[in-house]
Amino acid sequence: MTPFEMNNQTDVTEFIFLGFSNHPKLQGLFFLIFLVIYLTALLGNMLIITATRVSPALHTPMYYFFSNLSFLDICYMSTTILVILVNFLREKKTFSYEGCLFQIYFLVTCAGTECVLLAAMAYDRYIAICHPLQYSVLMSLKVCVFLVTGSWLCDLVNSVSHTVLAATLTLCGSNQISHFLCDIPLLLKLSCSDISLNESVLHVASATIGLSPCLFTAVSYTLIISAILRIPSAQGRSKAFSTCASHLTVVVVFYGTANINYDRPREGYNLDMDILVSVLFCVVTPMLNPIIYSLRNKEVKRALRKLAGGWVFPGSMRD
C-alpha cells in the first residue's frame, strides 16, 4: 500500500450500487418487471417442489434432484432480487458492509452448489441410460441424499473461505460498486491491500467447483449420447433422449449464461450491458428452470395438472 493510499483509507460501512443508475426515470417500471419475474420464479419453483412431494410418479432420483435444484434457485433469487427490489424504491441505492459479505456468502454457496448438483444430475442420467439394470442400486435413496448433501457441504466450505478473505480486505477510496449486487471480483477492485491470496483461492475454486463439475457433466453427456446413438430403433432413441433433454437444456442455459457473465472480454465496458448479462444469469435462469422442466416433461406436467386440480377440487387428488 502506498502512502497516498494509506492516507485515503476509509472504514467502509456501506456500498453504493450503480446498477440501473443510468435510467432513473425507469425505476418504477424496473421494479414491476423484477417483481413479476421474482413472483413467477417463486411460484414455479414452489409448484415443482410441491408436485415432487405429493406425486408418487415423481418419487424418483431425477425429481429428487430437481426439487433440490428448485429450492436452490429460490435461495439464489432471493439473495439477489430482494435487494434489487428494495433499492428500486430508494433514491440512494446503498447496501451495508455486513450485508455485502452475507450476500457474497450466499451467492458463492448457491452458484457453486448448483454446479455440483447439475453434475450429480448428469451422473443420474448417465446411470439411467448406460446402466439401467443397476440403476436402483447405484442411485438408491442413500446415494441421492449423499450426493445432494455433498453438493451443499463442499460449497459451504468454499463460500466460508471466500467470505473470510473478503472480510480481511482493506478498502480505500470509492465505495461505489458498478453493479446491482456484491460479488468477489467487484470487491477486489475496491481494495488497496494485497489481493493475491484472494485471487489464488478464487482461481482454485473456479477450477474445482466450477470447471470440474462442468467437465464431468460434459463427459457424462458424451457417454449418454454415444449410448443413445447405439439404440437400434428411432423410437427407442427418442424415448431415451427425452429422459435427459430437460436437464441438458438447464445445463446449457446455466453454463452458457455463467460463461458470458464471468468469462466475457472486459474491453469496451458498458454498465448497461454488464447489468443485462448479470440479470440473465442471476435472475432469469432460476425462473427458466421450472418452465423448461414443465414444458419438456410429461410426468411433471401431469403432476402439476393433478396438483392444480386438487387445489380447485380437493377430492380429485384421490382420483
Side-chain angles (χ1 to χ4, degrees):
M1 188 187 307
T2 66
F4 177 78
E5 290 172 328
M6 291 182 67
N7 291 333
N8 283 277
Q9 180 177 339
T10 57
D11 293 327
V12 175
T13 59
E14 66 178 17
F15 296 98
I16 300 175
F17 290 141
L18 300 182
F20 304 103
S21 60
N22 291 347
H23 309 281
K25 296 182 179 180
L26 298 177
Q27 300 298 297
L29 178 61
F30 287 150
F31 175 84
L32 290 176
I33 292 173
F34 277 81
L35 181 61
V36 170
I37 290 175
Y38 179 65
L39 293 178
T40 302
L42 188 64
L43 177 61
N45 283 296
M46 289 184 67
L47 281 174
I48 292 294
I49 293 172
T50 305
T52 56
R53 292 293 183 270
V54 303
S55 176
L58 301 184
H59 291 173
T60 63
M62 180 172 65
Y63 298 112
Y64 173 75
F65 288 129
F66 184 51
S67 65
N68 279 275
L69 180 64
S70 293
F71 174 73
L72 184 62
D73 283 337
I74 291 175
C75 296
Y76 196 20
M77 282 203 71
S78 298
T79 301
T80 57
I81 204 168
L82 291 180
V83 176
I84 300 173
L85 290 174
V86 171
N87 277 329
F88 278 141
L89 301 176
R90 300 192 299 184
E91 183 176 352
K92 190 177 181 181
K93 306 180 189 306
T94 59
F95 199 39
S96 69
Y97 175 79
E98 293 78 10
C100 183
L101 292 179
F102 273 111
Q103 189 175 59
I104 286 176
Y105 173 79
F106 286 111
L107 280 176
V108 173
T109 298
C110 292
T113 301
E114 185 153 349
C115 288
V116 182
L117 186 58
L118 288 175
M121 296 171 74
Y123 173 72
D124 168 73
R125 293 299 83 204
Y126 164 74
I127 297 298
I129 300 297
C130 300
H131 303 283
L133 298 179
Q134 299 175 285
Y135 184 77
S136 59
V137 176
L138 296 177
M139 294 305 299
S140 63
L141 178 60
K142 184 182 295 186
V143 173
C144 293
V145 172
F146 173 79
L147 290 174
V148 170
T149 305
S151 299
W152 281 96
L153 289 180
C154 70
D155 210 75
L156 283 173
V157 175
N158 175 52
S159 56
V160 167
S161 63
H162 284 301
T163 307
V164 170
L165 286 173
T168 63
L169 292 173
T170 301
L171 304 177
C172 307
S174 175
N175 65 337
Q176 296 182 343
I177 295 179
S178 298
H179 218 289
F180 58 79
L181 52 78
C182 286
D183 203 357
I184 296 172
L186 299 172
L187 211 59
L188 294 181
K189 291 181 180 179
L190 301 180
S191 175
C192 55
S193 57
D194 183 14
I195 61 172
S196 58
L197 179 58
N198 302 70
E199 291 180 327
S200 298
V201 173
L202 192 61
H203 291 319
V204 171
S206 298
T208 55
I209 305 296
L211 182 59
S212 296
C214 180
L215 292 176
F216 180 87
T217 302
V219 171
S220 297
Y221 270 103
T222 300
L223 297 174
I224 289 170
I225 293 173
S226 176
I228 290 175
L229 293 177
R230 291 197 298 269
I231 298 176
S233 68
Q235 184 179 0
R237 290 194 297 270
S238 177
K239 184 177 180 180
F241 183 76
S242 66
T243 64
C244 55
S246 297
H247 175 252
L248 182 58
T249 305
V250 169
V251 167
V252 171
V253 171
F254 176 79
Y255 280 109
T257 54
N259 182 68
I260 296 173
N261 188 50
Y262 288 108
D263 297 329
R264 62 193 176 87
R266 295 296 174 179
E267 290 78 9
Y269 172 83
N270 180 280
L271 179 59
D272 287 340
M273 182 58 65
D274 197 52
I275 295 301
L276 176 61
V277 171
S278 296
V279 166
L280 289 175
F281 177 62
C282 300
V283 178
V284 177
T285 300
M287 181 188 70
L288 289 178
N289 287 348
I291 296 175
I292 292 171
Y293 266 87
S294 299
L295 290 177
R296 301 192 58 89
N297 198 293
K298 294 180 180 179
E299 289 84 0
V300 173
K301 288 191 287 187
R302 190 180 299 116
L304 290 175
R305 283 196 298 266
K306 189 173 181 181
L307 181 62
W311 284 340
V312 178
F313 306 105
S316 67
M317 286 293 289
R318 296 188 294 269
D319 296 339

